[in-house]
Amino acid sequence: MAIVWSLMLIVTPEETCPQPDDPVLAEVAVTISDAGHWAQIVDAAWRVVYQTDDLRWGGGAMVERAALPIGVHAFGPETLNAHEQARTGAIAVERARQYLSEVGPLVLADTPGGAKELRELVDPRLRDIVDALRPSGVVAACMHAYNGYGVAGTRPRILVTSFRVRDAAGRLVGTVSIQKPEASMSVLAAVAAMGDVRHFNRMQSVAKAGRRAAAVLFADLESSSQLSRRLSTASYFSLARRMVRAADECVIDCGGLVGRHAGDGVVAFFLAEPAGSESRCARCCIQSARDLDAKLADVAARSELAPEELTMRFGLHWGSTLYVGQIATGGRTEVTALGDEVNEGARIEACATGGRTLASKNLLERLDSDDAAAVGLDPDRLTYTPLAALPGAPEKATRDAPAIAVCEI
């Protein structure tokens, strides 16, 4: 439950922000929230009355582990202190100074006592900014930018559009500030054009890395060297692109997270927690491999290849304590996992020659009777072979994971 202290309401990082009491601002809050915006609303006195969950959880409090004070001045000490408790608190003051420098003329115009009163309302570390402000009550909207939350040592700029909200009588009731990354909408649309919203949401769920139980899928195109030599570079690139798209579709449809693409190889993770059980997680991993295998004939046909020319090796494994998380850099964002089982999964895949699917005993014995039946398996009747005993097992497999027991499924 939210904690009430005097006139200030503290909304914890796990809570959804309540709607403003003012009906006009409440209507605006619903509209911008439904649209998925990063946005904050202040009343006519510049007291924070609302933040969208997308701002708090996608770019603010939930990610930063900060509480949200409601009912206090947007540039007051309570607000700034809350930002300083966040993971990016080191830049909280700098960010507030940038923000006030840009939007300050509106804030000053809305403060009845002028600069003298505003100096008393803001955090002491912002008072010198107030001294340089000039009121601008005629501006209906303004655009400003500040350095953002920072990813992997970067400080991406955030663009903020602030606009006035008035009631039916023309009375000013507040100001809405909508935020977005500095990239243009054309760039953002291009980045997300081929993406799947389901997968983007799953990636956000692992933005904070941690220990997670998961099934791991490795898949790689067999005899890719011969194909790359035989096909033109353009044709082979088109083939690789079709395969990667098919693989991602199969993984996402089965509830998985797409990992790193290396050449024509695929890595995917199926987390137990969102799946609901370890059994369902293992089932999804198996089904994803089968779905991709079934799509290979269509990929081959579109690439003007015979079906037998396109085969993939599949290695499926289980990791009880994989360290799974999102890696974001200036060039890309991806999900990865660390743990011995990840390396073992790669060794299993390398042994699955001839287009086979090899699954570890640790994975298959996670299946309960219903999920096993759904993928046509009976774990109680399966027999296993150590990797070292498989004919033609690569040297890395016999060296790194000789005792891993696997079964062809």
Side-chain angles (χ1 to χ4, degrees):
M1 296 292 294
I3 304 167
V4 178
W5 179 50
S6 184
L7 297 178
M8 181 170 64
L9 179 72
I10 301 296
V11 182
T12 65
E14 295 78 14
E15 292 181 296
T16 290
C17 187
Q19 292 182 12
D21 292 333
D22 183 277
V24 176
L25 294 182
E27 183 178 346
V28 173
V30 171
T31 301
I32 60 177
S33 178
D34 288 348
H37 286 298
W38 283 2
Q40 174 175 282
I41 301 177
V42 298
D43 64 13
W46 280 84
R47 293 174 298 217
V48 178
V49 295
Y50 183 75
Q51 277 189 3
T52 60
D53 289 344
D54 269 282
L55 174 61
R56 299 182 60 236
W57 296 345
M62 179 61 81
V63 174
E64 299 187 25
R65 297 292 186 266
L68 172 68
I70 296 290
V72 295
H73 199 277
F75 297 96
E78 299 92 347
T79 302
L80 195 51
N81 288 340
H83 288 315
E84 288 185 297
Q85 301 305 311
R87 189 172 60 189
T88 56
I91 63 171
V93 175
E94 176 189 342
R95 194 165 58 194
R97 290 176 63 85
Q98 292 173 331
Y99 187 12
L100 182 57
S101 294
E102 295 288 347
V103 79
L106 294 182
V107 183
L108 184 57
D110 295 343
T111 306
K116 182 178 180 180
E117 179 183 343
L118 185 57
R119 279 178 54 85
E120 296 303 314
L121 290 172
V122 304
D123 186 279
R125 291 165 290 183
L126 306 179
R127 286 174 180 169
D128 63 308
I129 302 293
V130 174
D131 294 338
L133 295 177
R134 295 293 180 270
S136 180
V138 299
V139 178
C142 68
M143 176 68 75
H144 49 276
Y146 65 88
N147 289 334
Y149 303 104
V151 175
T154 67
R155 298 276 290 281
R157 283 162 58 86
I158 304 296
L159 301 182
V160 186
T161 302
S162 299
F163 58 89
R164 308 301 221 168
V165 178
R166 299 181 183 276
D167 61 16
R171 178 179 63 92
L172 178 69
V173 293
T175 301
V176 177
S177 295
I178 294 182
Q179 306 182 23
K180 65 177 285 294
E182 188 176 24
S184 70
M185 289 306 300
S186 296
V187 171
L188 294 176
V191 170
M194 294 299 296
D196 189 305
V197 174
R198 296 172 298 171
H199 193 257
F200 290 150
N201 290 334
R202 288 175 206 153
M203 290 182 69
Q204 282 299 97
S205 73
V206 296
K208 180 175 175 58
R211 297 284 178 186
R212 294 175 168 94
V216 184
L217 180 152
F218 277 84
D220 203 4
L221 181 63
E222 199 159 34
S223 302
S224 58
S225 296
Q226 290 105 326
L227 277 173
S228 66
R229 286 193 291 266
R230 182 162 66 85
L231 299 176
S232 70
T233 302
S235 295
Y236 188 75
F237 182 86
S238 295
L239 168 63
R241 183 168 55 189
R242 292 185 186 108
M243 289 195 59
V244 166
R245 287 177 177 173
D248 286 7
E249 181 181 338
C250 293
V251 169
I252 295 169
D253 285 347
C254 288
L257 278 164
V258 177
R260 179 179 301 176
H261 290 301
D264 37 44
V266 177
V267 183
F269 310 103
F270 298 82
L271 306 185
E273 185 175 356
S277 70
E278 292 185 354
S279 174
R280 181 55 61 91
C281 172
R283 169 184 167 178
C284 291
C285 183
I286 293 168
Q287 189 61 57
S288 177
R290 290 181 172 175
D291 290 348
L292 176 53
D293 192 47
K295 283 181 177 288
L296 292 180
D298 178 63
V299 173
R302 293 175 61 198
S303 302
E304 299 182 349
L305 297 172
E308 61 272 14
E309 293 182 277
L310 212 57
T311 58
M312 294 194 82
R313 301 186 301 266
F314 292 92
L316 315 182
H317 197 24
W318 178 261
S320 297
T321 57
L322 296 181
Y323 201 80
V324 184
Q326 184 186 119
I327 295 179
T329 71
R332 62 181 176 180
T333 301
E334 64 183 30
V335 174
T336 193
L338 300 177
D340 292 341
E341 296 90 347
V342 176
N343 297 326
E344 291 166 357
R347 302 297 175 256
I348 294 171
E349 175 263 303
C351 293
T353 54
R356 294 179 295 165
T357 299
L358 295 179
S360 70
K361 184 176 182 179
N362 281 347
L363 176 81
L364 294 174
E365 294 204 337
R366 254 73 191 176
L367 293 169
D368 63 24
S369 57
D370 290 340
D371 287 324
V375 290
L377 297 173
D378 184 354
D380 294 338
R381 293 181 175 273
L382 297 176
T383 57
Y384 299 88
T385 304
L387 287 186
L390 291 173
E395 186 270 334
K396 282 187 177 181
T398 58
R399 181 194 66 201
D400 298 340
I404 298 294
V406 298
C407 176
E408 183 178 357
I409 59 170

